[in-house]
Amino acid sequence: MDITNDIRYVGVNDHEVDLFEGQYVVKNGMAYNSYVILDEKTAVMDTVDARFTHEWLDNVGAALGSRKPDYLIIQHMEPDHSANIANFMQVYKDTKIVSSAKAFVMMKQFFGTDFEDRQIVVKEGDTLSLGKHELSFVAAPMVHWPEVIVTYDSYDKVLFSADGFGKFGALDVEEDWACEARRYYIGIVGKYGAQVQNLLKKASGLDIQTICPLHGPVLKENLGYYLGLYQTWSSYSAETEGIMIAYTSIYGNTKKAVEALAAKLTAKGCPKVVVTDLAREDMAEAVEDAFRYGKLVLATTTYNAGIFPFMREFINHLTERNFQNRIVGLIENGSWAPLAAKTMKSMLEGCKKLTFTKTTVQIKSALNDDSNAQLEALAEELCQDYLAQQDETADKNDLTALFKIGYGLYVVTSNDGKKDNGLIVNTVSQVTNTPNRVAVTINKDNYSHHVIKQTGIMNLNCLSTDAPFKVFETFGFQSGRTADKFADLKPLHSDNGLAFLPRYINSFMSLKVEQYVDLDTHGMFICTITEARVISNVDTMTYTYYQNNVKPKPQTEGKKGFVCVVCGYIYEGDELPEDFVCPLCKHGAADFEPIE
């Protein structure tokens, strides 16, 4: 298979494997990918699993023709990619191995030699010229092993991404990419979201037109879709709106409670309810769904003064993969001493940014009037945002929305007659309560200021603490005059016709401008409230919380240069140009400070 004019695919399909890494069911097999780059010099990218030595060497030989390889580039030392290093070096004795220092240590462990006389050690920022193809190496530690590097070919604009952007399944089988890529990512890479975020930040500065992973298909079209999913997964954000219920049941009574809850959730507007019997369904699929949806309900019995084994295993899988940033409800069943809820909650104590529902359902043997009422209360609590988002069920005069205002961060939405727009503000206050008036101050340089001054209306979305950094990138780092800020987010609309965010807010208010105060660089809009909805009870995002928990921490160690105080982008160099503009947030040189 030709990837480009100079890059050939030489990988193999494996339909013999039943469990990848000894635990993941792969009914459609696996692909072990390898590539050959043909230039003045030639390079082979990674090897394949030990069971396919001769097939792979045949593929390599066919791609090379009469030529010999100059380099074998090893990005990742997991045996499904590195097992044939020694075999390859026996056949091509003049080839040099290019890899990271940690990888050569592992080669010694695997093969008894680190090929000392034939090694080229590379690190972050190093390059290798094959002729017109200039390869740049990017360190990707713990994505998902410590030795990993990825490689960028600036000529064909190809990123060789190691295990990143991989999926289960052989290449000769048609199947949905996202489903098996999600299960692959959550199961194998999921623990290392911060490291993936660092790699995505590095990749954002590259012009990538093709991604060549070590598993799964080569990606050439709609790369924004794949990058967007990786951004969502690695930031532990909810990918799909909905609720997952994971349960175990011994005699069927807990199952009956789960089925009753699922029906209530659907009736109250939850767009997707996924119910999983942990004792009978694939555990990896269950873990995948827990990370896919924003809300999780755990239902199980008290068992040996703890919880049922399959539930314990499930929660262990979640905590091992840094499960976080979710709303969690609990249902326990016990005939004499219910302890399941207490045990489950204690097992999840180390998880970050979990919000437990106020209602915990307790069943004593079987459902009764009390536990049925608790199920109703839990469903109401979990569906509060869905009910508030729907015109027919929303309380549109819930002025407790005013209590959500703090020194927080907000998205102000407007419409210029052509498209919905929005921007981040942190200058909102309630100025009177008879009548209720709110003041919103906006920089005059922002396009939203211009639009709101013309239209006289806006929506104030109160961001909640589950909002990921992507929200701030979307609404704060680009102009609504040139960008469609809702391109990747389908908004909902209030009675005034303006958009409000479908997630990551705890309330919104529709505002009508009654007075405008000119404050030189800024304008203050003093507004009355025409609609107010409380969406959830998640805490309001404050500026301090954003700085401490949401804004990425710049990786400045060992670097010399300047760091953007807004988004953390690092400019490496002795001097920062006066006209420099941050490629991420578009702020100028004034918002950079020297790296200490």
Side-chain angles (χ1 to χ4, degrees), residues 160-454:
F160 296 92
S161 60
D163 268 353
F165 301 97
K167 65 177 283 292
F168 296 128
L171 298 191
D172 55 0
V173 176
E174 288 289 330
E175 63 182 359
D176 178 66
W177 185 89
C179 180
E180 289 297 75
R182 183 189 304 108
R183 189 164 67 99
Y184 174 90
Y185 175 89
I186 297 301
I188 295 172
V189 189
K191 179 178 180 178
Y192 304 106
Q195 289 82 355
V196 175
Q197 288 273 296
N198 289 338
L199 182 58
L200 289 174
K201 184 176 288 188
K202 295 175 184 178
S204 68
L206 302 174
D207 180 6
I208 300 171
Q209 296 183 6
T210 303
I211 297 175
C212 290
L214 288 179
H215 294 295
V218 172
L219 307 177
K220 286 191 172 185
E221 298 178 358
N222 197 18
L223 294 187
Y225 168 72
Y226 304 109
L227 290 164
L229 283 177
Y230 256 62
Q231 176 67 35
T232 297
W233 297 340
S234 60
S235 62
Y236 303 99
S237 300
E239 177 190 346
T240 305
E241 199 65 53
I243 300 172
M244 181 200 183
I245 308 174
Y247 78 94
T248 64
S249 185
I250 301 175
Y251 296 110
N253 289 306
T254 306
K255 181 180 179 179
K256 288 179 182 177
V258 164
E259 290 172 342
L261 176 64
K264 293 176 185 294
L265 296 174
T266 300
K268 293 180 186 297
C270 180
K272 182 72 174 179
V273 180
V274 176
V275 178
T276 299
D277 181 346
L278 296 174
R280 291 175 173 83
E281 299 179 34
D282 181 67
M283 187 62 70
E285 294 274 2
V287 172
E288 173 194 347
D289 281 338
F291 280 85
R292 180 174 184 175
Y293 299 99
K295 300 173 186 177
L296 172 67
V297 177
L298 302 175
T300 194
T301 49
T302 299
Y303 193 84
N304 287 337
I307 56 176
F308 203 69
F310 290 106
M311 179 61 75
R312 181 176 295 278
E313 180 188 356
F314 178 64
I315 295 175
N316 283 336
H317 278 293
L318 299 184
T319 57
E320 286 171 3
R321 289 162 177 80
N322 279 338
F323 186 68
Q324 59 184 273
N325 202 26
R326 295 294 188 275
I327 294 173
V328 179
L330 302 175
I331 299 174
E332 66 176 0
N333 192 345
S335 293
W336 63 91
L339 292 169
K342 180 180 179 181
T343 302
M344 290 188 288
K345 196 167 186 177
S346 67
M347 290 182 69
L348 292 166
E349 280 180 351
C351 297
K352 301 176 183 176
K353 294 189 283 185
L354 291 189
T355 302
F356 288 93
T357 57
K358 294 179 180 178
T359 303
T360 294
V361 177
Q362 185 180 91
I363 304 165
K364 291 190 175 180
S365 302
L367 283 172
N368 58 22
D369 289 345
D370 287 343
S371 50
N372 270 312
Q374 292 168 10
L375 282 177
E376 179 66 28
L378 179 60
E380 190 80 14
E381 193 173 344
L382 288 169
C383 291
Q384 180 183 8
D385 51 350
Y386 305 130
L387 293 167
Q389 289 168 1
Q390 301 171 69
D391 285 341
E392 59 272 18
T393 55
D395 178 356
K396 298 181 181 180
N397 294 291
D398 187 352
L399 293 178
T400 61
L402 288 167
F403 303 151
K404 303 291 184 181
I405 295 177
Y407 185 61
L409 291 164
Y410 311 86
V411 173
V412 169
T413 50
S414 59
N415 189 291
D416 61 5
K418 297 178 181 178
K419 65 177 185 293
D420 292 316
N421 187 34
L423 87 160
I424 299 288
V425 300
N426 65 348
T427 45
V428 175
S429 61
Q430 181 183 358
V431 291
T432 64
N433 66 353
T434 310
N436 286 301
R437 285 199 176 101
V438 174
V440 181
T441 304
I442 302 176
N443 192 309
K444 291 180 181 178
D445 290 337
N446 288 317
Y447 181 56
S448 293
H449 178 277
H450 169 70
V451 172
I452 294 168
K453 198 169 183 188
Q454 287 186 322

